[in-house]
Every structure is written in structure tokens, then in C-alpha cells.
Amino acid sequence: MHGDGQDKVVSLIYEAALNGQRWADAVRAVAGITGSSQCVLHFFDKTGLNGGLAPMMAPEAIAAYKERWRSYTPHWRHARLYPVGRIFDFDDAEERETIRHTAIYNEWWAPQGLGFGMRGANLVADDEGTVMASVYKPKGEEYSSEERRRFDNLVDHLVRAVEIHRRLRLAQLAAAQGADSAQSGFLVVDRSGRLLSDDGPTCASLAEAGFLVSDGVRRRLRTFDRSLERLIAGNGGSIGGSCDLMGNDGVLLRFTVVPVHGETEPAPHWLQIDQPAALVHVAVPEAQRRTRIQRLVETYRLTRAEADVAVEIARGDGRAAVADRLGIRETTVRSHLTAIFDKLGVHRQSELVNLVAGPL
């Protein structure tokens, strides 16, 4: 515990993890406790600055930076190579005398009242980009050992809070699309098939089947004919659809891709490292079929033959196709349907389909 107000700042940081509207307050609090004139959360992609939260900076200064200097930040090109949580200062990145003679220092940095008193750390770092937190002293001032200690003590909390924020956002996203976050088989992916959120058992099954690859940093979905990747990226014109694919382990898997629409709380513009494009549901069709048959037999007292017909009818391709798949006559299918309608209390085939094909 700290008697210097740090506990209050830590509490505010975790409040922001749960409520994105509080991040600006958390940033101001970090600046205040470290004696900083600025505290900024930046998002850098491979081309440079692509977003940021700087509530203490003039809007016109932010606009000028984005317009002219986004591809060059003095400490970014070095700092983006650092691991998460690694604390650095200006002198870790560039020689001060070198910076003094650059256009960005003379035309933007110094006019904002900024000097070389700086401290920063990466909160997120992967192949898609970097989220960095940094604090700055007014021009001509340096951080004291106590101020450095205060910032350094907050870094682990900032890292954890951002990770909590990301995980909660993706869970809320799945729930908003109608997917129970506690239900196995749902993955949240971006357009490249990169996993943003997943459940362990599903990923283990996909890896065993050869549908999941890793570059050491992130895992991505991969299929031999790229059929799943096309559904996710929307190469056919729009995201979404389903496909059945046989894995290396000989198990047939059904992938259903649902596009992401309308997040309840969009990611802050400084945390655009996650760009969810779709929910992917992974199921084993034969296992689903057995589960549905068992439910119909146990719950509605259908015979096994009647349950077989009900499940096949739910596929929606007609009585003749059902008879062909089950190796029975179409008149037998019709007879079973009469008994099924009576036991299930339905009157139309569409009602039967909704009941049989509903959530397991």
C-alpha cells in the first residue's frame, strides 16, 4: 500500500478496465502522481501512430501531429521492439543532440512545451501493433527518482488493466452477437483469421486437426483450400457462411462464420489493435446429430427411427432426400412425420425444424 495517493490511481486504472469511459481520468491521474505535464496512450501499427488518448493535449496539436508526424515519433521505432512491461526513457531510443536538430522536435515537440524528460512502457506488443503508455515532463525538467518509481510501479497495473479491457470487450461482443461466452466452440477472429478470443478445448481440437497455426505470437485459423479464410475475409462479397472440413485426425468439423455487427462498446481509438470481424463456431456434425437424437428420444419420447427422421428433416431438403439418406421409403418418412408432429405438438414442418435445430 502507498500513502502517496498511488492506491487511488491504481483503483482508477482498474475502473477504466471495466468502463472504457474512465480511461481519460486514469491517464490524468497517472500524469498527476508522476508530476507530468502530459500522459498519453498511443497505438502504433506498422506505419506509425494510428490512434491515441491524450486528454491533456490541445486538439489542434493532436491534429497537427496526425497530419504530418504520425510516421515518425522519436522513441517509437526503438520502443516498439521492447517486450510488454519493459520501461524505457528518451535516452534508450535516440541521442538527445540528434533529436534537437530534427524537424519534428523544432516544429512540433518543443512548441508543445515538451523536452527530454520522458518515461514509457509497452502495454501491448504483437505483430499487429503496439499500445504504449508514456509520460512527459515540461521542457527543461527531468523526472526525479521518486517520480520514476511511481510511474514504474503503475506499469504492471496498466498492462493488466488493458488486458482485462480487451478480454471483457471481446466477451461482450460475443454475447451481443448471440453467442454465450460460456459456451464452448466460439472463437472471435479478425479478417486475417487471427484469434482474438477463444476457449481452450476448441483450440486444442483445431490444433490437432491441423486448422490452427501459430507464429509464436498469435494463432490463426488455416485451411488447406482457404475456404474458411474466404468466409472470414468476405472474399465472396460479404463475411459469413459455413463449411464442412475434414481434419488431419479424420474428424469432420463444421465451421459457421457470423459477421460482427454493432459493438455495444467499440474499442477506444487508442486500442484498435483488436479488429474483430467475425465469430466462428466450430462443431462436430455427427456429435451434434447424436445429441439431438438423444434429446428427442429422452424429452419427447420419440422412437429412435422417428428421431432419425426428425433430425434429417431439419436439414431442409425434403422427404425424398431424407428417405434416401436413411435407406427407407418416402411413405415411411411420411408416416414417421405424422407421429413426430403429434408427440412434439407441432403442426408445420417449419415448427419442427425450429425445435429440432435449436440450441443444444
Side-chain angles (χ1 to χ4, degrees):
M1 302 294 286
H2 303 278
D4 54 10
Q6 188 159 327
D7 290 334
K8 292 182 179 179
V9 178
V10 170
S11 294
L12 190 52
I13 288 171
Y14 287 112
E15 284 182 33
L18 304 177
N19 177 3
Q21 302 299 318
R22 300 302 306 274
W23 275 111
D25 294 332
V27 165
R28 293 188 187 95
V30 172
I33 202 170
T34 58
S36 305
S37 61
Q38 295 288 343
C39 178
V40 182
L41 297 176
H42 326 252
F43 168 49
F44 297 97
D45 60 17
K46 296 174 182 178
T47 65
L49 184 73
N50 200 26
L53 178 65
M56 303 168 68
M57 189 171 290
E60 56 270 20
I62 297 173
Y65 190 97
K66 289 180 178 178
E67 180 180 353
R68 185 171 180 186
W69 306 110
R70 64 173 298 273
S71 62
Y72 181 74
T73 298
H75 45 278
W76 163 59
R77 296 189 182 279
H78 295 273
R80 69 191 179 97
L81 303 177
Y82 297 151
V84 168
R86 201 291 206 172
I87 299 165
F88 55 87
D89 58 29
F90 220 112
D91 295 325
D92 290 329
E94 305 246 9
E95 292 289 337
R96 295 191 180 199
E97 284 307 310
T98 301
I99 293 297
R100 287 185 201 277
H101 299 290
T102 62
I104 186 174
Y105 179 81
N106 290 288
E107 296 179 28
W108 190 89
W109 199 270
Q112 304 310 315
L114 301 175
F116 294 103
M118 173 266 181
R119 203 136 181 94
N122 290 335
L123 309 183
V124 179
D126 64 21
D127 57 339
E128 298 299 319
T130 303
V131 175
M132 181 191 305
S134 54
V135 290
Y136 303 89
K137 275 287 192 178
K139 186 176 180 181
E141 295 185 24
E142 300 286 343
Y143 282 103
S144 67
S145 59
E146 175 61 19
E147 289 168 336
R148 289 196 298 270
R149 181 192 67 80
R150 291 180 180 181
F151 177 79
D152 297 357
N153 286 341
L154 292 174
V155 168
D156 283 345
H157 297 293
L158 287 166
V159 170
R160 285 195 290 270
V162 168
E163 179 63 19
I164 291 169
H165 185 104
R166 295 171 74 190
R167 288 180 178 273
L168 283 177
R169 173 176 164 254
L170 293 170
Q172 290 166 355
L173 175 63
Q177 306 302 312
D180 182 354
S181 60
Q183 183 177 346
S184 65
F186 277 101
L187 313 173
V188 182
V189 299
D190 65 12
R191 278 185 178 268
S192 70
R194 181 176 68 117
L195 268 61
L196 304 179
S197 178
D198 60 73
D199 71 87
T202 298
C203 286
S205 298
L206 289 175
E208 185 175 350
F211 294 130
L212 198 63
V213 296
S214 174
D215 58 8
V217 179
R218 284 285 189 175
R219 293 172 296 176
R220 299 177 189 273
L221 293 173
R222 184 185 66 183
T223 56
F224 68 94
D225 61 355
R226 299 194 62 78
S227 55
L228 180 58
E229 291 91 323
R230 287 194 292 272
L231 292 177
I232 294 171
N235 291 351
S238 61
I239 296 175
S242 62
C243 60
D244 291 348
L245 297 168
M246 185 73 73
N248 295 339
D249 54 1
V251 177
L252 182 68
L253 297 178
R254 175 164 297 157
F255 295 87
T256 303
V257 178
V258 181
V260 166
H261 297 298
E263 297 183 55
T264 55
E265 184 181 345
H269 56 279
W270 56 270
L271 193 50
Q272 293 296 330
I273 197 166
D274 297 320
Q275 293 286 347
L279 292 176
V280 179
H281 183 253
V282 186
V284 181
E286 184 55 35
Q288 285 188 320
R289 186 178 188 280
R290 289 195 299 268
T291 300
R292 288 195 164 100
I293 287 173
Q294 182 179 1
R295 183 181 67 176
L296 290 170
V297 171
E298 294 179 354
T299 304
Y300 297 99
R301 303 302 180 186
L302 267 63
T303 66
R304 174 56 192 262
E306 291 166 349
D308 281 336
V309 169
V311 169
E312 292 299 323
I313 279 290
R315 295 175 62 172
D317 52 0
R319 291 192 295 268
V322 170
D324 184 61
R325 283 195 297 273
L326 294 178
I328 58 179
R329 297 187 181 192
E330 189 173 348
T331 54
T332 304
V333 172
R334 190 178 298 112
S335 175
H336 282 321
L337 280 175
T338 299
I340 291 167
F341 281 5
D342 182 57
K343 291 181 179 180
L344 269 60
V346 297
H347 305 285
R348 290 188 295 273
Q349 193 164 306
S350 60
E351 295 176 329
L352 172 62
V353 171
N354 289 337
L355 189 152
V356 174
L360 295 174

